[in-house]
Amino acid sequence: QVRLKESGPRLVQPSQTLSVTCTVSGFSVTSYHVSWVRQPPGKGLEWVGAIWKGGSTDYNSALKSRLSISRDTSKNQVFLKMNSLQTDDTGTYYCAKQKYSGAYFDYWGQGVMVTVSS
Amino acid sequence: IQMTQSPSLLSASVGDRVTLSCKAGQNINNYLAWYQQKLGEAPKLLIYNANSLQTGIPSRFSGSGSGTDYTLTISSLQPEDVATYFCQQYNSWTTFGGGTKLELK
């Protein structure tokens, strides 16, 4: 059974770094691609970035300078790091499995709600 | 690629045929997906490649369209269909529409 679960801090101070972990089961991160998607409260969805099954990464150009996505294949985990957080980075951060590179998201984690506030 | 959904809010009655629209800023070659998001939950994939029904999704959901214009249809609205629906293009990177909130009249 495919499952993804995000974990990370619920509250981050402005200018600090967000670190979120996505732990997957039911598939290997070396066989499928995993993306991060975020959603501000009450708003739409925004693709943040992806780590492809081969280990390379791509990022939303608007966020690229602040982002890092990596993985631990032995633990089947994917990591998101975003620095210099501002209040408009507040939202729910989801990890999601992609059927193939650049495709739709067939499985999603439950998301982690992150508030950027002092 | 800009994705525009309409309407932003739709009220309908149980049993109604409901149509949601998604318009792309350029031809996306049917690389379009639809998601359902219930309050407090993650999005769920309904339709991919414009008209392919994801496994386990009820057959009352269907997708159609081509080029820049796409539609999600619910043939007979059920109470459990109350949700916000998002479209996503994946022809060029990926972007989402702003969503249509579907409520019961």
Side-chain angles (χ1 to χ4, degrees):
Chain A
Q1 186 176 9
V2 172
R3 286 190 176 170
L4 303 94
K5 186 171 183 179
E6 305 86 350
S7 57
R10 294 324 197 239
L11 180 65
V12 180
Q13 293 195 335
S15 80
Q16 297 302 301
T17 296
L18 171 67
S19 295
V20 186
T21 297
C22 176
T23 302
V24 314
S25 58
F27 71 97
S28 170
V29 297
T30 60
S31 297
Y32 289 94
H33 317 296
V34 175
S35 273
W36 291 94
V37 177
R38 70 177 184 175
Q39 184 174 36
K43 296 190 177 179
L45 300 160
E46 179 182 37
W47 178 74
V48 172
I51 186 161
W52 309 121
K53 63 182 180 181
S56 61
T57 54
D58 276 305
Y59 303 120
N60 182 319
S61 57
L63 304 171
K64 187 173 184 176
S65 63
R66 301 194 288 132
L67 278 178
S68 174
I69 297 175
S70 59
R71 68 184 184 180
D72 183 334
T73 56
S74 67
K75 294 182 179 179
N76 228 15
Q77 292 179 321
V78 175
F79 309 106
L80 170 71
K81 289 191 190 305
M82 181 183 297
N83 59 33
S84 305
L85 286 186
Q86 301 301 317
T87 54
D88 59 2
D89 293 312
T90 291
T92 299
Y93 286 74
Y94 297 99
C95 57
K97 171 183 168 289
Q98 287 181 267
K99 190 73 170 178
Y100 54 86
S101 176
Y104 50 90
F105 306 104
D106 54 355
Y107 291 92
W108 296 65
Q110 64 191 21
V112 59
M113 174 62 198
V114 177
T115 301
V116 181
S117 174
S118 55
Chain B
I1 298 176
Q2 180 93 357
M3 303 298 291
T4 303
Q5 290 187 243
S6 61
S8 55
L9 176 64
L10 180 59
S11 297
S13 301
V14 173
D16 281 354
R17 182 180 182 86
V18 172
T19 300
L20 286 64
S21 174
C22 178
K23 186 174 182 66
Q26 62 190 68
N27 182 4
I28 56 171
N29 299 300
N30 285 11
Y31 290 116
L32 184 103
W34 288 96
Y35 299 88
Q36 176 193 68
Q37 186 177 35
K38 296 183 179 181
L39 195 62
E41 297 183 5
K44 177 195 290 187
L45 177 67
L46 300 175
I47 301 286
Y48 61 94
N49 294 348
N51 56 21
S52 296
L53 190 67
Q54 172 70 346
T55 302
I57 300 302
S59 59
R60 64 179 180 273
F61 291 92
S62 64
S64 63
S66 63
T68 61
D69 296 308
Y70 298 87
T71 298
L72 174 69
T73 299
I74 307 174
S75 60
S76 178
L77 185 66
Q78 301 301 303
E80 61 266 32
D81 300 335
V82 168
T84 300
Y85 293 82
F86 294 97
C87 60
Q88 174 215 1
Q89 70 80 19
Y90 44 97
N91 181 68
S92 175
W93 296 102
T94 187
T95 46
F96 294 87
T100 292
K101 185 176 182 179
L102 178 58
E103 63 178 26
L104 287 180
K105 191 180 292 183

